[in-house]
Amino acid sequence: ANFAAVSKIFNLFTAIIATISLFLAFFLLLISMTQNVMDASWEFGVLRSMGLTKSEGLRIYMYEAYVVVVSAAILGVTVGFVTASAVAVQFYSFIELPVVLTFPWLLFGIMIGLSLVTVFFAVYAPVTQINGR
């Protein structure tokens, strides 16, 4: 029972840190995408003059942002899991207990879902601003 309480507190702490990190990542992505769209506004205008619709332009920037975020998530999860596994194996071998590795699927799913929603809003705002011009 004591381990379960400590585990719940640790999971809550991890969720709070993850939420703060996602909040900061949203603003970093928003600033980055706004700068990226503004820098490429001339190229975007050329593509629009060649027949690219506003929704197709939005999709291009969405695809770019989603590819970057998904590849970063894959890399981060892989490196994090390998590192956590190495530390857990060392810890369990030090205290001579069987190795038990559990992946936080719920937190992982929530964070991936929130990051995909975050990408949508961080890309939608600057692209609709440039489409309005």
Side-chain angles (χ1 to χ4, degrees), residues 7-20:
S7 179
K8 284 184 180 182
I9 291 171
F10 181 72
N11 285 339
L12 178 66
F13 178 73
T14 304
I16 290 170
I17 296 298
T19 303
I20 292 169

PDB file of all heavy atoms in Angstrom, residues 7-20:
ATOM      1  N   SER A   7       3.861   5.671  -5.697  1.00  0.00           N
ATOM      2  CA  SER A   7       3.754   5.590  -7.157  1.00  0.00           C
ATOM      3  C   SER A   7       2.736   6.594  -7.693  1.00  0.00           C
ATOM      4  O   SER A   7       2.982   7.243  -8.721  1.00  0.00           O
ATOM      5  CB  SER A   7       3.362   4.175  -7.557  1.00  0.00           C
ATOM      6  OG  SER A   7       3.234   4.085  -8.952  1.00  0.00           O
ATOM      7  N   LYS A   8       1.606   6.754  -6.995  1.00  0.00           N
ATOM      8  CA  LYS A   8       0.602   7.729  -7.427  1.00  0.00           C
ATOM      9  C   LYS A   8       1.136   9.155  -7.332  1.00  0.00           C
ATOM     10  O   LYS A   8       0.907   9.974  -8.223  1.00  0.00           O
ATOM     11  CB  LYS A   8      -0.675   7.587  -6.600  1.00  0.00           C
ATOM     12  CG  LYS A   8      -1.522   6.413  -6.987  1.00  0.00           C
ATOM     13  CD  LYS A   8      -2.815   6.387  -6.200  1.00  0.00           C
ATOM     14  CE  LYS A   8      -3.652   5.192  -6.619  1.00  0.00           C
ATOM     15  NZ  LYS A   8      -4.930   5.154  -5.912  1.00  0.00           N
ATOM     16  N   ILE A   9       1.849   9.459  -6.265  1.00  0.00           N
ATOM     17  CA  ILE A   9       2.429  10.795  -6.106  1.00  0.00           C
ATOM     18  C   ILE A   9       3.470  11.043  -7.186  1.00  0.00           C
ATOM     19  O   ILE A   9       3.522  12.128  -7.778  1.00  0.00           O
ATOM     20  CB  ILE A   9       3.028  10.965  -4.688  1.00  0.00           C
ATOM     21  CG1 ILE A   9       1.906  11.008  -3.656  1.00  0.00           C
ATOM     22  CG2 ILE A   9       3.871  12.227  -4.602  1.00  0.00           C
ATOM     23  CD1 ILE A   9       2.381  10.967  -2.225  1.00  0.00           C
ATOM     24  N   PHE A  10       4.291  10.051  -7.479  1.00  0.00           N
ATOM     25  CA  PHE A  10       5.298  10.198  -8.528  1.00  0.00           C
ATOM     26  C   PHE A  10       4.635  10.390  -9.889  1.00  0.00           C
ATOM     27  O   PHE A  10       5.086  11.225 -10.688  1.00  0.00           O
ATOM     28  CB  PHE A  10       6.222   8.981  -8.550  1.00  0.00           C
ATOM     29  CG  PHE A  10       7.297   9.080  -9.587  1.00  0.00           C
ATOM     30  CD1 PHE A  10       8.351   9.952  -9.430  1.00  0.00           C
ATOM     31  CD2 PHE A  10       7.237   8.328 -10.749  1.00  0.00           C
ATOM     32  CE1 PHE A  10       9.338  10.071 -10.383  1.00  0.00           C
ATOM     33  CE2 PHE A  10       8.207   8.434 -11.712  1.00  0.00           C
ATOM     34  CZ  PHE A  10       9.267   9.310 -11.532  1.00  0.00           C
ATOM     35  N   ASN A  11       3.572   9.642 -10.168  1.00  0.00           N
ATOM     36  CA  ASN A  11       2.862   9.801 -11.444  1.00  0.00           C
ATOM     37  C   ASN A  11       2.220  11.174 -11.549  1.00  0.00           C
ATOM     38  O   ASN A  11       2.210  11.780 -12.630  1.00  0.00           O
ATOM     39  CB  ASN A  11       1.821   8.705 -11.614  1.00  0.00           C
ATOM     40  CG  ASN A  11       2.441   7.372 -11.956  1.00  0.00           C
ATOM     41  OD1 ASN A  11       3.574   7.311 -12.436  1.00  0.00           O
ATOM     42  ND2 ASN A  11       1.724   6.304 -11.688  1.00  0.00           N
ATOM     43  N   LEU A  12       1.677  11.689 -10.449  1.00  0.00           N
ATOM     44  CA  LEU A  12       1.101  13.029 -10.440  1.00  0.00           C
ATOM     45  C   LEU A  12       2.178  14.083 -10.698  1.00  0.00           C
ATOM     46  O   LEU A  12       1.985  15.006 -11.490  1.00  0.00           O
ATOM     47  CB  LEU A  12       0.394  13.303  -9.114  1.00  0.00           C
ATOM     48  CG  LEU A  12      -0.221  14.686  -8.960  1.00  0.00           C
ATOM     49  CD1 LEU A  12      -1.375  14.860  -9.949  1.00  0.00           C
ATOM     50  CD2 LEU A  12      -0.677  14.910  -7.535  1.00  0.00           C
ATOM     51  N   PHE A  13       3.314  13.928 -10.046  1.00  0.00           N
ATOM     52  CA  PHE A  13       4.435  14.841 -10.255  1.00  0.00           C
ATOM     53  C   PHE A  13       4.901  14.815 -11.706  1.00  0.00           C
ATOM     54  O   PHE A  13       5.132  15.858 -12.322  1.00  0.00           O
ATOM     55  CB  PHE A  13       5.585  14.469  -9.314  1.00  0.00           C
ATOM     56  CG  PHE A  13       6.808  15.317  -9.477  1.00  0.00           C
ATOM     57  CD1 PHE A  13       6.826  16.628  -9.027  1.00  0.00           C
ATOM     58  CD2 PHE A  13       7.947  14.802 -10.084  1.00  0.00           C
ATOM     59  CE1 PHE A  13       7.948  17.408  -9.177  1.00  0.00           C
ATOM     60  CE2 PHE A  13       9.070  15.585 -10.231  1.00  0.00           C
ATOM     61  CZ  PHE A  13       9.074  16.889  -9.777  1.00  0.00           C
ATOM     62  N   THR A  14       4.993  13.625 -12.280  1.00  0.00           N
ATOM     63  CA  THR A  14       5.388  13.478 -13.675  1.00  0.00           C
ATOM     64  C   THR A  14       4.371  14.133 -14.602  1.00  0.00           C
ATOM     65  O   THR A  14       4.742  14.799 -15.569  1.00  0.00           O
ATOM     66  CB  THR A  14       5.544  11.988 -14.032  1.00  0.00           C
ATOM     67  OG1 THR A  14       6.480  11.397 -13.134  1.00  0.00           O
ATOM     68  CG2 THR A  14       6.031  11.810 -15.451  1.00  0.00           C
ATOM     69  N   ALA A  15       3.089  13.971 -14.315  1.00  0.00           N
ATOM     70  CA  ALA A  15       2.040  14.580 -15.144  1.00  0.00           C
ATOM     71  C   ALA A  15       2.097  16.106 -15.067  1.00  0.00           C
ATOM     72  O   ALA A  15       1.908  16.785 -16.078  1.00  0.00           O
ATOM     73  CB  ALA A  15       0.672  14.070 -14.716  1.00  0.00           C
ATOM     74  N   ILE A  16       2.369  16.652 -13.887  1.00  0.00           N
ATOM     75  CA  ILE A  16       2.473  18.105 -13.740  1.00  0.00           C
ATOM     76  C   ILE A  16       3.663  18.633 -14.526  1.00  0.00           C
ATOM     77  O   ILE A  16       3.547  19.634 -15.256  1.00  0.00           O
ATOM     78  CB  ILE A  16       2.564  18.494 -12.243  1.00  0.00           C
ATOM     79  CG1 ILE A  16       1.226  18.242 -11.556  1.00  0.00           C
ATOM     80  CG2 ILE A  16       2.978  19.957 -12.082  1.00  0.00           C
ATOM     81  CD1 ILE A  16       1.274  18.355 -10.048  1.00  0.00           C
ATOM     82  N   ILE A  17       4.799  17.980 -14.413  1.00  0.00           N
ATOM     83  CA  ILE A  17       5.995  18.388 -15.167  1.00  0.00           C
ATOM     84  C   ILE A  17       5.733  18.277 -16.666  1.00  0.00           C
ATOM     85  O   ILE A  17       6.115  19.157 -17.446  1.00  0.00           O
ATOM     86  CB  ILE A  17       7.224  17.551 -14.754  1.00  0.00           C
ATOM     87  CG1 ILE A  17       7.575  17.803 -13.297  1.00  0.00           C
ATOM     88  CG2 ILE A  17       8.415  17.831 -15.656  1.00  0.00           C
ATOM     89  CD1 ILE A  17       7.955  19.226 -12.976  1.00  0.00           C
ATOM     90  N   ALA A  18       5.071  17.211 -17.091  1.00  0.00           N
ATOM     91  CA  ALA A  18       4.767  17.022 -18.517  1.00  0.00           C
ATOM     92  C   ALA A  18       3.827  18.105 -19.018  1.00  0.00           C
ATOM     93  O   ALA A  18       3.991  18.617 -20.136  1.00  0.00           O
ATOM     94  CB  ALA A  18       4.161  15.639 -18.735  1.00  0.00           C
ATOM     95  N   THR A  19       2.850  18.497 -18.216  1.00  0.00           N
ATOM     96  CA  THR A  19       1.918  19.547 -18.611  1.00  0.00           C
ATOM     97  C   THR A  19       2.625  20.888 -18.749  1.00  0.00           C
ATOM     98  O   THR A  19       2.404  21.623 -19.719  1.00  0.00           O
ATOM     99  CB  THR A  19       0.774  19.652 -17.587  1.00  0.00           C
ATOM    100  OG1 THR A  19       0.138  18.380 -17.476  1.00  0.00           O
ATOM    101  CG2 THR A  19      -0.242  20.692 -18.009  1.00  0.00           C
ATOM    102  N   ILE A  20       3.489  21.199 -17.813  1.00  0.00           N
ATOM    103  CA  ILE A  20       4.264  22.442 -17.896  1.00  0.00           C
ATOM    104  C   ILE A  20       5.158  22.422 -19.129  1.00  0.00           C
ATOM    105  O   ILE A  20       5.250  23.418 -19.856  1.00  0.00           O
ATOM    106  CB  ILE A  20       5.085  22.655 -16.605  1.00  0.00           C
ATOM    107  CG1 ILE A  20       4.145  22.943 -15.427  1.00  0.00           C
ATOM    108  CG2 ILE A  20       6.083  23.795 -16.771  1.00  0.00           C
ATOM    109  CD1 ILE A  20       4.826  22.917 -14.075  1.00  0.00           C
TER     110      ILE A  20
END
